[in-house]
Amino acid sequence: AQEVKDFYTNDRMKAAGWNADEKGCTGDSEDTKNHGAVCLYERKEGGKDEGLAIIVAQDEKLPDTNIFYARIDLTNVNKK
């Protein structure tokens, strides 16, 4: 999970056109059994507002790290 957090830095994502939350990727380092992270980004381009969530889940007992990506169209979310 830490490698994923290190890869999706605010600078790297900004260069790709995404705006990051102030904290960038955040995770629970207090949990000793499961390590994970959540990275939230947003970008506005060509009248479209998009969100990107990267969710990382890792169980220390297993060698696998699961990464979930969700892109969300936020264009009409707050418009009424």
Side-chain angles (χ1 to χ4, degrees), residues 52-79:
L52 173 64
I54 303 168
I55 303 162
V56 184
Q58 177 184 7
D59 185 335
E60 282 200 353
K61 295 179 182 177
L62 302 174
D64 300 330
T65 298
N66 297 297
I67 305 171
F68 302 92
Y69 298 89
R71 272 180 98 156
I72 306 155
D73 184 356
L74 301 169
T75 305
N76 295 316
V77 172
N78 292 320
K79 294 182 180 178

Side-chain angles (χ1 to χ4, degrees), residues 5-32:
K5 289 177 8 180
D6 292 343
F7 182 82
Y8 290 103
T9 64
N10 286 355
D11 290 337
R12 178 183 297 252
M13 294 306 285
K14 186 175 182 177
W18 293 95
N19 296 317
D21 180 73
E22 287 180 14
K23 297 178 183 177
C25 293
T26 59
D28 184 4
S29 58
E30 303 279 324
D31 189 343
T32 58

Side-chain angles (χ1 to χ4, degrees), residues 18-53:
W18 293 95
N19 296 317
D21 180 73
E22 287 180 14
K23 297 178 183 177
C25 293
T26 59
D28 184 4
S29 58
E30 303 279 324
D31 189 343
T32 58
K33 293 182 183 176
N34 298 298
H35 295 278
V38 175
C39 309
L40 301 173
Y41 303 97
E42 182 180 12
R43 74 174 167 191
K44 295 180 182 183
E45 185 175 59
K48 190 173 182 181
D49 190 2
E50 291 181 288
L52 173 64

